[in-house]
Amino acid sequence: SYELTQPPSVSVSPGQTARITCSGDALPKQYAYWYQQKPGQAPVLVIYKDSERPSGIPERFSGSSSGTTVTLTISGVQAEDEADYYCQSADSSGTPNWVFGGGTKLTVL
Amino acid sequence: QVQLVESGGGVVQPGGSLRLSCAASGFTFSSYGMHWVRQAPGKGLEWVAFIRYDGSNKYYADSVKGRFTISRDNSKNTLYLQMNSLRAEDTAVYYCAKEAAYCGGDCFGVWGQGTLVTVSS
């Protein structure tokens, strides 16, 4: 089955750059998407198609892709960015299936 | 603005049934595929089911196949999830989510606030 792997946690000081990775064998063929989820809230899409930013998402959020790994980068991290981040992709090799990574807790020190 | 409001969650005994609803507003509901995604307490996100804009195709995660049924009523702008033979491991917050056109249907553009389902005796 299709799996996406994320580190459980990433820590960064305010103003620094946070990088969260997501690995999966199908990522060279499928786009990745990133969601931010704050405690008690629904997820919010912050990056689509590997590197595109929906309207309303701050420019400090960016995405990139290289081989089987995609990366969410948050430049100039702010306290409000502390949240869980999930990568997601769609497996269309057979019956359609939408897959999430296990999530990464971003802590702003 | 686009809004999704889930309802129908609650406490149910193992083996029981529950039907969730998701009321949509602020967009042309009949033009978009819709999903259910769940999140067990303290755990990550798990995709549950998808239905095409016209209800012609439905897909399910293996963990719920044969027990859950997704449906929609485009005349009422409402999405449903009928959950039967519920198990303790189905305990979760259930979110409905709208596909995003700019993702080619592969991502979740808007989410509801979620409704909690607890399966316990």
Side-chain angles (χ1 to χ4, degrees):
Chain A
S1 63
Y2 185 17
E3 292 185 358
L4 298 174
T5 302
Q6 300 179 234
S9 63
V10 168
S11 298
V12 65
S13 299
Q16 300 301 304
T17 296
R19 294 180 179 85
I20 300 172
T21 59
C22 173
S23 299
D25 288 342
L27 289 178
K29 303 185 295 290
Q30 301 290 345
Y31 285 120
Y33 307 89
W34 290 95
Y35 302 85
Q36 176 194 67
Q37 186 181 34
K38 296 181 179 179
Q41 297 184 21
V44 173
L45 179 68
V46 295
I47 293 290
Y48 68 97
K49 289 187 177 180
D50 291 347
S51 60
E52 300 295 322
R53 200 172 46 249
S55 62
I57 300 302
E59 290 185 7
R60 63 180 182 273
F61 288 87
S62 63
S64 61
S65 176
S66 178
T68 59
T69 299
V70 293
T71 302
L72 173 68
T73 300
I74 310 172
S75 304
V77 167
Q78 301 180 5
E80 68 196 50
D81 298 330
E82 184 163 290
D84 293 324
Y85 291 85
Y86 294 90
C87 63
Q88 175 257 314
S89 191
D91 178 11
S92 56
S93 59
T95 302
N97 181 31
W98 290 259
V99 179
F100 289 95
T104 299
K105 170 66 177 178
L106 175 66
T107 299
V108 181
L109 300 170
Chain B
Q1 74 282 18
V2 175
Q3 193 170 15
L4 300 171
V5 179
E6 301 94 336
S7 60
V11 181
V12 60
Q13 292 187 341
S17 299
L18 210 57
R19 189 176 84 154
L20 305 183
S21 300
C22 170
S25 60
F27 66 101
T28 305
F29 180 71
S30 59
S31 296
Y32 290 89
M34 297 292 296
H35 297 265
W36 287 100
V37 178
R38 68 184 180 183
Q39 185 170 35
K43 302 297 185 182
L45 300 169
E46 179 188 17
W47 170 75
V48 173
F50 169 78
I51 185 168
R52 276 174 57 93
Y53 67 97
D54 59 358
S56 60
N57 291 93
K58 305 173 185 180
Y59 304 107
Y60 300 91
D62 288 343
S63 57
V64 306
K65 203 172 295 183
R67 300 187 299 123
F68 289 13
T69 301
I70 189 172
S71 62
R72 65 192 297 159
D73 186 336
N74 286 345
S75 67
K76 295 183 178 179
N77 290 344
T78 303
L79 175 73
Y80 302 100
L81 185 68
Q82 176 67 43
M83 303 185 295
N84 299 330
S85 303
L86 283 161
R87 307 166 180 167
E89 54 264 37
D90 295 318
T91 294
V93 173
Y94 284 74
Y95 296 99
C96 65
K98 168 185 170 291
E99 69 175 4
Y102 50 79
C103 300
D106 283 349
C107 76
F108 310 91
V110 178
W111 299 63
Q113 87 290 349
T115 187
L116 176 62
V117 172
T118 303
V119 184
S120 174
S121 54

